[in-house]
Amino acid sequence: MFRAIAVLFLTFPLSALALVPPDYQEPPSDFTAEIEAGFQLNTGNTESSSFNGRTKLVYDTEKTKQEGTVKAYFAADDEKTTSEKYDVQLQSSYKLSGGFDGYVFGRGDFTLDRYGSYTQISTVSTGYGFDAISDHSTKLSLEVGPGYRYNMPIETEAEPDPQANRDVILRTAVKFEQKLQEYTSLNADLTAEAGEDNSTLTLDMSYKNTLFQDWAFKIGVNIKYTDVVPEGTKQTDTITTFNLLYTFQ
């Protein structure tokens, strides 16, 4: 009896290995996710250093692409909280057929910033985008379309009870990704929102270096310029982050 069990135990693993080729790899998945956290430096309307976190989810199929990003920033000095900001970005794209890499999209950007020049920012937009370059090492996408933006200014001594600003905008975006080497890459997103009452320009850059397997070290810089800001606040906000990033798919 013992000899029969031993023969079955030894035979089964060998049979299972015979069914799986030595160079077998899991098929590519339509779903990818990035989770990162780390250290940040703030300049502009806030001067402090602390921690931040970011999660990005992407579901990319043959016909559609769904993207969602959540960012959280929190900073405090020896006395009090100096920065508390939350960003949510959602985009749904439908890929057009006809032999070109074009797509139409709907997008929403939402920000709660306790110490920013605007404490609440909500932007919804739609439009057309296309992949100008898309190969193994370089990707370049361009987007343009109309939108609507809601801004709530921060309370100041000059304006203790501010009124929200509502503006129709034209949003344009350039998304660039360059693979420098096998384990390093550079990303840069430039977004402009032009409105009758106010305009913004945002540059989001990052450098990623893979450490091992799915872990990477990432340096990021986010610079946002706002043309019209409440009195006593600055037009330019800069956030620099140093994060450890994990990617799974």
Side-chain angles (χ1 to χ4, degrees):
M1 180 68 178
F2 177 78
R3 181 177 297 177
I5 295 175
V7 170
L8 290 174
F9 179 78
L10 293 173
T11 302
F12 178 76
L14 294 175
S15 301
L17 289 174
L19 295 175
V20 181
D23 58 348
Y24 173 79
Q25 296 182 354
E26 291 288 339
S29 172
D30 295 333
F31 175 79
T32 59
E34 294 181 348
I35 299 175
E36 64 181 82
F39 180 70
Q40 76 182 55
L41 296 174
N42 284 19
T43 61
N45 288 301
T46 56
E47 300 284 346
S48 58
S49 60
S50 192
F51 292 93
N52 74 96
R54 170 182 170 272
T55 298
K56 181 177 181 179
L57 306 176
V58 178
Y59 184 65
D60 191 358
T61 65
E62 183 179 353
K63 290 294 185 181
T64 64
K65 184 177 183 180
Q66 317 298 331
E67 301 174 80
T69 303
V70 178
K71 303 177 183 178
Y73 306 93
F74 180 84
D77 56 23
D78 294 337
E79 300 179 355
K80 60 181 180 179
T81 300
T82 57
S83 176
E84 186 176 352
K85 181 180 179 182
Y86 305 95
D87 288 331
V88 177
Q89 301 167 347
L90 304 171
Q91 181 163 327
S92 178
S93 303
Y94 177 78
K95 302 175 184 178
L96 302 175
S97 59
F100 57 94
D101 297 323
Y103 57 92
V104 292
F105 68 88
R107 182 180 177 90
D109 294 85
F110 310 97
T111 297
L112 294 177
D113 190 353
R114 184 178 174 187
Y115 296 92
S117 56
Y118 292 93
T119 57
Q120 297 180 41
I121 304 173
S122 299
T123 304
V124 292
S125 60
T126 186
Y128 170 77
F130 69 96
D131 299 328
I133 302 175
S134 181
D135 56 36
H136 174 69
S137 59
T138 305
K139 294 182 180 179
L140 177 64
S141 299
L142 308 176
E143 295 180 351
V144 62
Y148 175 83
R149 182 178 59 215
Y150 169 93
N151 284 347
M152 174 58 75
I154 193 172
E155 296 180 3
T156 62
E157 293 183 0
E159 193 67 39
D161 187 20
Q163 299 298 313
N165 171 261
R166 297 169 174 84
D167 205 2
V168 176
I169 64 167
L170 176 66
R171 176 184 175 272
T172 57
V174 179
K175 302 179 180 181
F176 176 74
E177 179 180 346
Q178 177 67 51
K179 189 174 183 180
L180 303 176
Q181 296 178 352
E182 184 178 359
Y183 299 107
T184 59
S185 62
L186 176 69
N187 289 69
D189 294 347
L190 182 63
T191 303
E193 295 179 0
E196 182 179 357
D197 299 330
N198 204 352
S199 298
T200 64
L201 184 65
T202 305
L203 175 62
D204 195 357
M205 295 183 62
S206 64
Y207 170 82
K208 184 172 66 174
N209 186 8
T210 301
L211 302 175
F212 53 90
Q213 293 183 346
D214 299 323
W215 292 92
F217 175 69
K218 179 181 174 183
I219 301 174
V221 178
N222 182 280
I223 304 172
K224 182 175 183 179
Y225 173 83
T226 304
D227 187 33
V228 180
V229 296
E231 183 179 351
T233 63
K234 298 181 180 181
Q235 291 177 303
T236 303
D237 277 307
T238 303
I239 300 178
T240 305
T241 56
F242 304 88
N243 290 356
L244 186 64
L245 179 145
Y246 178 74
T247 302
F248 62 90
Q249 56 184 4

